[in-house]
Amino acid sequence: MDIQPDAAHRQKIAEMLGLEAIKKFRFKAELRPLNKSDWELVGVMGATIVQACAITLAPVTSRIDERVTRRFLADMPQPQAQEIEMPEDDSIEALGAEIDISAIAIEALTLAIHPFPRAQDAKLSDQGYLEQSPPDSAPLPEKTHRPFAGLADLRAKLAQPDNDSSKSDK
């Protein structure tokens, strides 16, 4: 099998995964029998994706190339408890009525996406705030680097006894 979605399908997948774009996407795989009732899917997933930088929101283009292996077992035991341990071999799945190869391709892409991509020049300062503002925006004022600093002043004010209320009681 050789799956190469067109631009419209790539855009739908990008929207579903929260990506800005998928420039290229290809899943080339072979489905073959393991024995009388089990199957094995072996393939390669390749994609070029565009995500927003986790710091600056600038577009970050990444290349992903992943080998994909899934084994579908007809006699895989069903879990009996509500909580189970994950098997050591995470490529094993129960064989259902059908094998959705498109879903496997999208799952492989989803698992390979970097959760917090960074543009090359994006960095945080030693104090933990942005060194660079998002594209086409004004730099952040210095006071916004500590948005919760005003809470300490408010807490101190609330902790002081209220002199005005004692005057009104007399």
Side-chain angles (χ1 to χ4, degrees), residues 28-97:
K28 192 170 185 175
E30 180 181 334
L31 183 63
R32 54 186 175 224
L34 277 176
N35 52 41
K36 290 183 181 181
S37 57
D38 300 333
W39 293 86
E40 179 180 53
L41 178 112
V42 178
V44 178
M45 185 273 306
T48 303
I49 63 170
V50 180
Q51 301 172 260
C53 172
I55 295 175
T56 66
L57 302 178
V60 177
T61 301
S62 305
R63 178 69 192 164
I64 298 172
D65 291 295
E66 293 284 324
R67 294 198 51 75
V68 178
T69 302
R70 297 285 188 280
R71 289 179 194 84
F72 300 93
L73 306 180
D75 295 326
M76 187 167 171
Q78 293 297 319
Q80 300 301 319
Q82 287 182 349
E83 291 186 26
I84 60 168
E85 288 188 34
M86 292 294 297
E88 277 187 45
D89 186 355
D90 62 357
S91 68
I92 297 175
E93 296 183 26
L95 179 64

Side-chain angles (χ1 to χ4, degrees), residues 89-112:
D89 186 355
D90 62 357
S91 68
I92 297 175
E93 296 183 26
L95 179 64
E98 61 184 41
I99 298 173
D100 188 344
I101 296 173
S102 297
I104 294 169
I106 293 171
E107 177 185 77
L109 175 61
T110 303
L111 293 172

Side-chain angles (χ1 to χ4, degrees), residues 52-60 117-142 144-145:
C53 172
I55 295 175
T56 66
L57 302 178
V60 177
R118 285 193 178 183
Q120 285 184 337
D121 57 347
K123 59 183 178 177
L124 295 175
S125 70
D126 294 338
Q127 293 78 24
Y129 55 82
L130 296 177
E131 287 286 331
Q132 176 184 347
S133 9
D136 301 326
S137 66
L140 295 172
E142 187 66 31
T144 62
H145 295 317

Side-chain angles (χ1 to χ4, degrees), residues 145-157:
H145 295 317
R146 298 183 50 207
F148 298 107
L151 291 178
D153 294 335
L154 178 61
R155 183 177 182 191
K157 286 179 185 178

